[in-house]
Amino acid sequence: MNVKQTLLRHSNKAIAVVILAILVIIPVVMVLLRSFMIDDAFQLLAPIRTIIEGDLGEVFVNSIRLAVTVVLVTTVIAAPLAFLTGKTELARAKWIDVALLIPFMTPPYIATMGWILFMQPRGVVDQYLPLLGAFRPLFFSFWGIVMVMSFNLFPFIYLVIKNTLMEITRSLEDAGAVHGGTFLYRMRRIILPLVFSGYTMGALLIFVKTLAEFGTPATLGRRVGYYVFTTEIYRFTNQWPIDFARGTALASVLLITSMLVWYVQQLLASRHTYSIVGGRDHGKKYYRLGKWSPLAWAYVALLLILSIGVPYWSIVTSSIMRIWGHGLAAGNFTIENYAQLFTAGTLGARALWNSLRLSFLAATIAMFLGTFLAVVIIRSRGAVRQFIDVSSLLSNTVPRIVIIVGLILFWNAPWMRNITVYNTAMMLALTYTVAFLPYTVQYVKANFQQIDVSLFHAAQVSGAKSGYITRRILFPLIRPGMVAGWIMTFIISIRELVGSLMIRPPGIETSATFIFRQFDQGVVPLGMAMALTTVGLTTVVMVIVQQGKKTKATEAA
Amino acid sequence: MSIVVEGVEKTFGTVKALRPTNLTVKTGEFISLVGPSGCGKTTLLRLLAGLEIPDNGDITLMDRVMFSRRDGKEVPAEDRGVGMVFQDFALWPHMTVFENVAFGLRARKDTARLKERVTWALEKVQLAGYEDRYPKQMSGGQQQRVSFARAIVTEPKVILLDEPLSALDAVLRDGLRLMLRSLTDELGLTAVYVTHDQHEAMSISDRIVVMKEGEMLQDGVPEEVYNHPSHLFVANFVGKSNFINTGNGTADTDGAVRKMARPELFSTQRRNKDDVEFSGIIKTISYLGDRYEVHMDVDGNSWITYFTQRPQLGDKVTVYLSPKDIHTIEEGLS
Ligand SMILES: Nc1ncnc2c1ncn2[C@@H]1O[C@H](COP(=O)(O)OP(=O)(O)O)[C@@H](O)[C@H]1O
Ligand SMILES: [Mg+2]
């Protein structure tokens, strides 16, 4: 390798490190510094002190209690379903997994709004199912928050458990049967222990996700007086009276808690994952349900009703009402709400357009930046690689709200005054880019890892220079990962609530903040029309891409 | 009789995995099911184990009816009391070697002298001292020995082995094969061994059963199957065959009487005056160390013969065969 190439190689690494430092590392460090420094002195227990002095202990307890309960409830919901679709004849109903993408893809704040509209006075329950009104006090309490979040999050843990179940090769179970294990004995000694490690990972993921979730606590939690980390961080950093000391103290504790959980997960992952080596698999082992079949289907139906039916029923009906609360009577039906969103100049149309263009921008930047980082990671070794790898995925590990507080601290710092990014719409695009960068990095990396090095060696042997190899071999092969990264960033940027709320300059709305504010101010139908529009739009994008992939695959076959 | 299978058949969807089949195995006998991939060997084995349910027929193991369509009897796998060794070892990754082996005893709550019996089984496969390891800390050969120990720890009378050596490399395979056979003899086990490798089948078994597309074509001692294959398919699958043209057309005409002889029966010199002579053109020569394997074209058939000295490529040579060594396949005539 000549000097020039060596320099080039190192300069790429240096660029990657600098970019990541500015975008992610420094902001996060600033959150920590801000909460640990009191009167210019570092104090180890400073955030804890701030929390105790500021009467925020309850927030901590509330958050943990919510996360633990959601983990338990999602497990209870998901485990039987995973068994049914992984190990019984229900496996043939492939559409169940497809249907479960819907709660998975529904932003929590939208699902929560759907539930509130269902349960609140004059809502769907009052109009059509008065008997369920008895559950209203229960819903507007801690348990309502738990339920809504659980029905939104259970597909995660369901997929984790199911995938682990499917990995257990048939012969592992057969060997248990032949050597005398009855069904229950096999479950206890073979299936459950093998699923357990996967389950633990899923459970910890749900725990962290619940801690970091803003949408449900902000819509339902605040209404019932249940405050958690995210809602309080939002309050202290965005609403008068602003109190950054408490805001960052909470953010630090949230950050440290999540990091501890990730650390535990890493420990467990390295110790308890079994690679289940499979030989030729003689099909899957499916248990026959027999007379239990109706019960199993009833269970599936109930889950689908609660996770999809209820929220979408109220969202769809609300979005076509003239006045919310008057029911779907003849005179109350209108498509005016949708018309407004697509009429240039209206608030809604501007919000939608802002979301589209900013998300487009963010997705494009994230795609190139993420690809660059992924390639640098793969081509480097040692500590530098570790650093770039960890920090480019940091915004997936750190709760989003912490990153956002960091971005505010950094870009709004006094010494940044000359760089006018903060308080412009571009700050939103930057936030989305930083927040969702890990997707592209991960997709491209995964893509890259499937490529055999011999493909590059073959090109080299055939006389190709490194630029030519990048263009003709590397780039076409990682393109699917780049496209997937772009789409993911685009879709979730459009729906991003907490980042948009906190970073948004005055006078600029995005679709998410629009929905949130309309709902807050009681202009339900318009907000719900926007909610359905964004969900529909992003789903259409996904479907088109999936179809595109399929046609490509069939062409290739 | 240790194993009696009568009229057992099994269909998966539209695939006839096993056509109506009869098979008996004497106590202490070691038989092999051999045939190409997908011919139904595993299916038959799994039917014996109770891991699949036959569509029809009766299965009796050690004089105990395990399955009978007629009498509506169906003993589940966990109550059949057979040992089984799987192709992919099927060791539970979360259990130590000791716990893997002890499984069958614990599952049946037969835990008297547990430690002693597990140790006994591990000693039989020469793995004493490996009790606390996890499967992933062992080599493939060791894993398969653990799996064998697991199958014998409950002292079953019947052991089923589904291609136990095919995931291992050639050197390990030979050693383990000898070990398997001597252990089954020592323990007096009745063994059904599945393999797609005819060499393995012939070298390890008292009897072999050649299968094709869910059907048993021939059932006999290895020598019988090798010397007197009942079907063209058997002749080709077990060993190498040279087909001899009869009066009516070339050898591979369907339904014709086929005459064939094994390559090693041919000689480059005339040994008796009634020897039949064949001549052909030499196409390829491979040196095997102790002799030359020669492919030659005889009357449009491709033959294999062995030479002790290197012949010349393209030469026309003559080989000799004693008439009694010519075997006639009567498939399709009966
Ligand atoms: N569980 C199953 N479901 C559907 N088809 C099966 C199943 N098990 C085996 N088969 C089919 O039955 C035939 C025989 O399979 P198998 O007994 O595994 O063959 P072998 O062990 O001889 O390779 C094959 O065509 C295979 O595809
Ligand atoms: Mg098989």
Side-chain angles (χ1 to χ4, degrees):
Chain A
M1 203 181 299
N2 62 35
V3 180
K4 199 176 130 202
Q5 261 180 328
T6 316
L7 268 180
L8 214 64
R9 192 165 266 220
H10 287 295
S11 69
N12 277 343
K13 276 191 235 169
I15 293 170
V17 169
V18 170
I19 290 180
L20 286 170
I22 294 174
L23 290 184
V24 195
I25 305 293
I26 297 178
V28 172
V29 170
M30 282 180 77
V31 174
L32 288 172
L33 281 183
R34 181 70 178 252
S35 63
F36 278 98
M37 303 290 275
I38 290 184
D39 304 329
D40 288 332
F42 181 86
Q43 297 191 5
L44 191 62
L45 294 177
I48 310 262
R49 227 176 69 197
T50 315
I51 284 177
I52 292 171
E53 281 169 6
D55 264 342
L56 297 173
E58 195 193 340
V59 172
F60 182 80
V61 175
N62 276 355
S63 302
I64 301 289
R65 182 160 83 112
L66 180 64
V68 170
T69 317
V70 168
V71 167
L72 294 178
V73 175
T74 48
T75 305
V76 171
I77 298 174
L81 185 66
F83 176 80
L84 288 176
T85 63
K87 286 280 164 205
T88 73
E89 67 233 30
L90 255 58
R92 254 173 272 141
K94 297 264 190 296
W95 60 266
I96 295 178
D97 284 11
V98 179
L100 287 180
L101 286 175
I102 299 175
F104 202 60
M105 292 304 295
T106 307
Y109 62 94
I110 292 181
T112 313
M113 289 171 187
W115 266 101
I116 294 176
L117 295 177
F118 190 80
M119 292 302 291
Q120 77 182 2
R122 295 191 296 140
V124 177
V125 159
D126 278 357
Q127 261 147 23
Y128 301 101
L129 309 159
L131 281 181
L132 292 180
F135 288 106
R136 183 169 299 138
L138 190 63
F139 177 80
F140 286 100
S141 76
F142 170 70
W143 294 104
I145 309 174
V146 168
M147 188 198 63
V148 174
M149 292 188 87
S150 300
F151 278 111
N152 202 254
L153 287 171
F154 85 91
F156 275 101
I157 206 156
Y158 160 77
L159 285 179
V160 171
I161 298 179
K162 182 174 170 180
N163 286 342
T164 334
L165 265 180
M166 308 280 274
E167 269 174 30
I168 299 175
T169 52
R170 181 166 191 178
S171 59
L172 289 181
E173 277 189 84
D174 284 346
V178 171
H179 296 115
T182 56
F183 172 76
L184 287 178
Y185 193 80
R186 288 184 328 252
M187 280 291 143
R188 187 159 65 77
R189 291 285 315 273
I190 301 172
I191 308 294
L192 285 183
L194 286 176
V195 167
F196 187 74
S197 65
Y199 164 73
T200 315
M201 300 296 124
L204 292 176
L205 184 73
I206 298 275
F207 184 87
V208 176
K209 271 184 162 304
T210 310
L211 274 190
E213 177 53 43
F214 174 76
T216 307
T219 33
L220 182 55
R222 290 203 299 176
R223 187 176 288 214
V224 304
Y226 195 85
Y227 301 105
V228 295
F229 278 130
T230 50
T231 49
E232 292 309 279
I233 295 172
Y234 172 66
R235 181 160 72 94
F236 286 127
T237 53
N238 274 257
Q239 287 175 338
W240 194 84
I242 285 185
D243 185 343
F244 263 100
R246 288 194 205 179
T248 53
L250 284 174
S252 289
V253 174
L254 173 59
L255 171 66
I256 292 164
T257 313
S258 319
M259 286 315 199
L260 279 177
V261 176
W262 285 123
Y263 178 71
V264 170
Q265 190 189 36
Q266 290 302 312
L267 272 190
L268 289 176
S270 57
R271 201 167 302 167
H272 286 289
T273 36
Y274 312 108
S275 57
I276 303 167
V277 279
R280 231 183 79 195
D281 206 2
H282 290 276
K284 290 271 174 277
K285 191 175 185 75
Y286 292 125
Y287 293 99
R288 273 173 289 174
L289 284 171
K291 63 177 194 295
W292 296 103
S293 181
L295 197 67
W297 280 111
Y299 186 67
V300 172
L302 182 71
L303 285 193
L304 294 179
I305 289 173
L306 291 178
S307 61
I308 305 169
V310 166
Y312 277 96
W313 182 358
S314 19
I315 293 169
V316 171
T317 53
S318 303
S319 76
I320 48 174
M321 283 179 190
R322 205 177 292 281
I323 302 169
W324 192 82
H326 285 202
L328 262 188
N332 198 27
F333 172 84
T334 179
I335 55 161
E336 173 60 25
N337 302 313
Y338 288 94
Q340 233 194 77
L341 294 183
F342 293 98
T343 308
T346 62
L347 196 61
R350 283 210 307 270
L352 192 55
W353 172 240
N354 276 337
S355 273
L356 288 175
R357 72 189 171 102
L358 295 173
S359 304
F360 186 93
L361 187 62
T364 310
I365 301 173
M367 178 178 75
F368 286 114
L369 184 55
T371 305
F372 168 72
L373 292 172
V375 173
V376 172
I377 290 168
I378 277 152
R379 290 199 171 156
S380 49
R381 299 266 160 282
V384 181
R385 177 194 174 118
Q386 203 76 37
F387 175 84
I388 302 175
D389 202 1
V390 169
S391 31
S392 64
L393 298 181
L394 200 64
S395 15
N396 242 4
T397 350
V398 172
R400 186 135 75 252
I401 198 164
V402 176
I403 297 271
I404 288 160
V405 172
L407 290 175
I408 295 174
L409 289 177
F410 179 74
W411 293 93
N412 196 26
W415 34 270
M416 289 291 280
R417 282 289 138 79
N418 293 332
I419 303 171
T420 49
V421 175
Y422 198 75
N423 261 336
T424 70
M426 284 311 112
M427 190 62 206
L428 280 169
L430 183 100
T431 305
Y432 300 152
T433 308
V434 173
F436 307 125
L437 187 63
Y439 289 102
T440 309
V441 176
Q442 269 169 330
Y443 293 158
V444 173
K445 244 169 63 183
N447 214 194
F448 204 101
Q449 267 145 14
Q450 289 163 2
I451 306 172
D452 202 285
V453 271
S454 64
L455 294 185
F456 298 109
H457 292 164
Q460 243 173 340
V461 173
S462 314
K465 299 258 185 311
S466 101
Y468 189 79
I469 295 177
T470 305
R471 194 155 48 80
R472 290 291 309 278
I473 315 271
L474 175 63
F475 181 68
L477 288 175
I478 57 173
R479 201 161 40 199
M482 296 173 67
V483 173
W486 190 93
I487 308 248
M488 195 65 188
T489 312
F490 182 69
I491 287 178
I492 49 183
S493 298
I494 290 186
R495 308 156 155 206
E496 171 61 6
L497 177 64
V498 63
S500 311
L501 269 182
M502 290 173 65
I503 296 287
R504 176 179 72 94
I508 290 203
E509 294 275 2
T510 69
S511 61
T513 62
F514 180 84
I515 297 167
F516 191 73
R517 279 153 52 95
Q518 299 296 321
F519 189 82
D520 238 18
Q521 293 161 11
V523 195
V524 171
L526 190 57
M528 290 305 105
M530 176 70 103
L532 214 55
T533 305
T534 38
V535 170
L537 204 76
T538 49
T539 310
V540 167
V541 172
M542 287 250 300
V543 170
I544 290 175
V545 173
Q546 287 300 321
Q547 287 303 320
K549 265 193 206 149
K550 262 189 213 144
T551 13
K552 258 209 177 141
T554 38
E555 270 166 20
Chain B
M1 285 302 152
S2 200
I3 301 176
V4 180
V5 170
E6 286 175 272
V8 167
E9 58 183 308
K10 179 75 185 174
T11 309
F12 292 109
T14 56
V15 181
K16 281 211 179 315
L18 193 68
R19 292 167 199 278
T21 293
N22 299 315
L23 177 73
T24 51
V25 187
K26 290 201 290 277
T27 304
E29 203 176 9
F30 193 116
I31 78 155
S32 286
L33 305 176
V34 59
S37 182
C39 71
K41 309 178 295 288
T42 299
T43 302
L44 177 53
L45 209 65
R46 293 171 61 82
L47 288 166
L48 291 175
L51 294 170
E52 303 284 358
I53 304 305
D55 300 335
N56 240 322
D58 297 334
I59 295 174
T60 310
L61 299 179
M62 306 304 302
D63 301 320
R64 185 169 158 222
V65 178
M66 293 296 178
F67 180 86
S68 172
R69 178 61 71 207
R70 235 175 328 159
D71 306 343
K73 191 164 167 64
E74 184 183 319
V75 178
E78 56 265 34
D79 297 332
R80 293 198 182 185
V82 300
M84 188 161 178
V85 179
F86 293 80
Q87 179 174 9
D88 60 1
F89 318 145
L91 295 179
W92 300 295
H94 59 296
M95 295 184 199
T96 59
V97 166
F98 184 92
E99 284 305 320
N100 263 285
V101 175
F103 184 94
L105 297 171
R106 289 200 202 278
R108 298 194 169 98
K109 303 208 166 56
D110 178 13
T111 50
R113 300 184 301 116
L114 179 84
K115 186 152 189 290
E116 196 179 318
R117 290 155 79 189
V118 172
T119 311
W120 168 83
L122 284 171
E123 270 165 6
K124 285 290 167 218
V125 296
Q126 291 155 23
L127 281 178
Y130 286 80
E131 285 82 355
D132 294 330
R133 296 228 194 159
Y134 281 90
K136 68 173 174 208
Q137 298 168 317
M138 306 181 86
S139 72
Q142 289 172 328
Q143 291 188 31
Q144 195 56 301
R145 273 145 64 196
V146 174
S147 143
F148 192 72
R150 176 176 69 184
I152 60 172
V153 74
T154 51
E155 297 173 60
K157 296 286 180 283
V158 172
I159 187 166
L160 309 171
L161 306 109
D162 190 0
E163 310 214 13
L165 306 181
S166 70
L168 305 174
D169 57 51
V171 182
L172 271 177
R173 228 180 293 175
D174 289 340
L176 219 50
R177 189 175 59 213
L178 296 174
M179 177 175 174
L180 280 184
R181 180 64 217 238
S182 64
L183 273 176
T184 50
D185 283 351
E186 182 189 332
L187 302 173
L189 292 170
T190 306
V192 181
Y193 187 94
V194 161
T195 176
H196 63 264
D197 180 339
Q198 40 114 356
H199 289 295
E200 205 170 279
M202 286 199 289
S203 62
I204 199 173
S205 324
D206 298 324
R207 225 172 91 201
I208 67 179
V209 174
V210 183
M211 296 181 63
K212 180 197 175 194
E213 292 168 9
E215 204 170 351
M216 291 189 176
L217 294 184
Q218 189 170 13
D219 174 351
V221 297
E223 294 80 354
E224 171 67 15
V225 173
Y226 184 78
N227 293 325
H228 304 289
S230 61
H231 293 70
L232 185 62
F233 175 84
V234 178
N236 277 321
F237 190 78
V238 180
K240 294 165 178 162
S241 315
N242 295 337
F243 290 100
I244 301 162
N245 285 350
T246 49
N248 39 5
T250 51
D252 51 358
T253 322
D254 250 335
V257 181
R258 287 177 198 83
K259 293 183 183 301
M260 50 92 57
R262 297 298 187 185
E264 66 279 2
L265 300 174
F266 290 83
S267 157
T268 45
Q269 269 117 41
R270 180 182 288 277
R271 290 162 300 189
N272 280 308
K273 67 176 180 327
D274 62 344
D275 275 1
V276 192
E277 60 172 77
F278 302 91
S279 44
I281 312 287
I282 295 184
K283 294 292 184 195
T284 65
I285 301 167
S286 334
Y287 181 49
L288 300 182
D290 55 342
R291 57 195 166 160
Y292 297 87
E293 186 183 276
V294 173
H295 283 248
M296 51 194 280
D297 183 88
V298 179
D299 297 340
N301 296 314
S302 178
W303 280 19
I304 294 171
T305 52
Y306 299 110
F307 283 61
T308 47
Q309 315 230 299
R310 184 184 281 274
Q312 194 68 38
L313 216 55
D315 272 6
K316 188 173 169 106
V317 294
T318 304
V319 292
Y320 304 88
L321 180 70
S322 165
K324 67 170 180 9
D325 288 337
I326 298 179
H327 170 64
T328 305
I329 299 174
E330 305 201 355
E331 170 191 6
L333 285 187
S334 50

